[in-house]
Amino acid sequence: MLAEKYSNNSAIWFNAHAFAEHVLCGGKALPWSSPTEFAEVYKKLQGMLDADRLSVPLMGFLDDWISRHPHVLQTMSGKSRVRFAIKRFLTNPQLRSDMSEWMTACCAMVDAEIVLEIPSNAALISWAHVLANPNASVEPLTELDIDSTSVYLADTVRQLKPAGIAGVVTTLSDADLAAGASVDLYLPLANVAANYHWQFAFRKPVVAAKFASHDYFCLGDDACSSNSDLVSLPSDFWRSELETVVQHDTNWVYTELPAFSEPDVVRANIALLRAR
């Protein structure tokens, strides 16, 4: 991992797609349907941020892809089992091929490690089930639903090894935690990451909820992680220009860049992060 190269300075890991849409796309959605155009945006983003690692969100790609392939919904519908739709969706050969092309272009054109940020298992289950069955309701999810979806996701991201990604991040939502989410339920993804020497991490924007992430990074709320190699910066960090060097003693600094951050402020604060 890049962090091993840093003895005096932390490597910086950005989640910055909202910033990219606002600053580089004029407030419009990222060009999900064109791998080259998407990679060009992230190449420009990297030119601004000089990040060591960038998270790329999968959900935007999936939303765009299904809107352009509505016929796939027919293969996902008609079953009451709530996780049937997401299984059929994630195993679609065309989806996997297009996802691989998208990630390959991004990894090839952007001079930073690219990590795929996966939506929460619960969000994916509900999203696919309701899309395929518009009048259906989503019952409270179980541990089996979360675990099974991890298996489907693991098989999907395994196809991305040739693309050159550096890792995967899985998001935890209220619904995942309510269903009894634990590290064990995500081991299919974690094991794929370990096998390919990828980073595996959790992202938990639900700050109040507790989650024992053990040795894995827990982005956005890493206080529950026993891995002390990462610190997450609050979004307020980017609202005004700092006056002094930021002191931190970790291999990685993770931050989610708000959409309306001022580019000049961002550049100035990055310089102070680098100067410690």
Side-chain angles (χ1 to χ4, degrees):
M1 291 297 163
L2 268 178
E4 297 173 357
K5 301 178 182 179
Y6 287 75
S7 56
N8 297 316
N9 293 291
S10 297
I12 305 178
W13 181 348
F14 275 102
N15 179 325
H17 67 277
F19 178 80
E21 286 187 334
H22 177 67
V23 174
L24 300 176
C25 300
K28 297 179 181 179
L30 290 161
W32 303 102
S33 60
S34 171
T36 301
E37 290 180 19
F38 182 92
E40 285 285 359
V41 172
Y42 263 74
K43 182 177 180 179
K44 292 177 182 176
L45 179 67
Q46 173 62 356
M48 297 178 68
L49 303 181
D50 190 26
D52 300 290
R53 180 178 290 167
L54 289 166
S55 290
V56 176
L58 178 61
M59 194 68 240
F61 174 85
L62 298 182
D63 264 328
D64 179 83
W65 192 90
I66 198 65
S67 72
R68 292 182 289 109
H69 300 80
H71 61 280
V72 173
L73 292 172
Q74 298 173 12
T75 70
M76 299 160 53
S77 64
K79 299 290 184 180
S80 59
R81 191 172 73 237
V82 72
R83 59 184 182 274
F84 174 81
I86 192 61
K87 177 182 180 181
R88 293 301 299 268
F89 179 68
L90 290 174
T91 54
N92 183 280
Q94 188 61 53
L95 171 72
R96 290 183 170 189
S97 176
D98 291 349
M99 190 187 303
S100 181
E101 182 183 2
W102 169 59
M103 277 287 92
T104 298
C106 199
C107 292
M109 294 175 63
V110 181
D111 186 22
E113 290 188 347
I114 299 297
V115 173
L116 187 66
E117 180 186 289
I118 302 171
S120 84
N121 287 24
L124 281 172
I125 293 168
S126 301
W127 172 81
H129 184 64
V130 172
L131 272 180
N133 307 281
N135 297 319
S137 60
V138 180
E139 300 297 326
L141 302 178
T142 66
E143 291 183 11
L144 180 59
D145 295 321
I146 303 300
D147 182 54
S148 297
T149 303
S150 291
V151 173
Y152 311 148
L153 284 165
D155 190 54
T156 300
V157 299
R158 186 180 289 113
Q159 317 301 316
L160 298 177
K161 183 179 185 296
I165 66 172
V168 291
V169 173
T170 188
T171 305
L172 297 165
S173 69
D174 280 326
D176 294 89
L177 298 171
S182 65
V183 165
D184 289 347
L185 301 185
Y186 298 89
L187 286 179
L189 277 164
N191 290 339
V192 168
N195 187 48
Y196 293 150
H197 306 288
W198 291 346
Q199 177 75 67
F200 176 76
F202 293 97
R203 175 177 173 264
K204 186 165 72 68
V206 189
V207 176
K210 299 296 182 183
F211 180 79
S213 56
H214 303 313
D215 288 334
Y216 296 111
F217 289 155
C218 200
L219 309 178
D221 182 21
D222 60 310
C224 297
S225 173
S226 57
N227 190 327
S228 59
D229 285 340
L230 176 142
V231 63
S232 294
L233 297 178
S235 59
D236 285 348
F237 180 86
W238 303 103
R239 300 201 183 282
S240 59
E241 192 168 329
L242 302 175
E243 296 180 358
T244 59
V245 173
V246 182
Q247 297 299 320
H248 46 83
D249 188 25
T250 59
N251 284 335
W252 283 99
V253 172
Y254 172 79
T255 185
E256 301 190 3
L257 197 54
F260 295 96
S261 303
E262 292 293 336
D264 288 345
V265 171
V266 171
R267 291 189 188 95
N269 288 0
I270 289 172
L272 288 175
L273 275 177
R274 296 286 193 194
R276 77 170 183 89

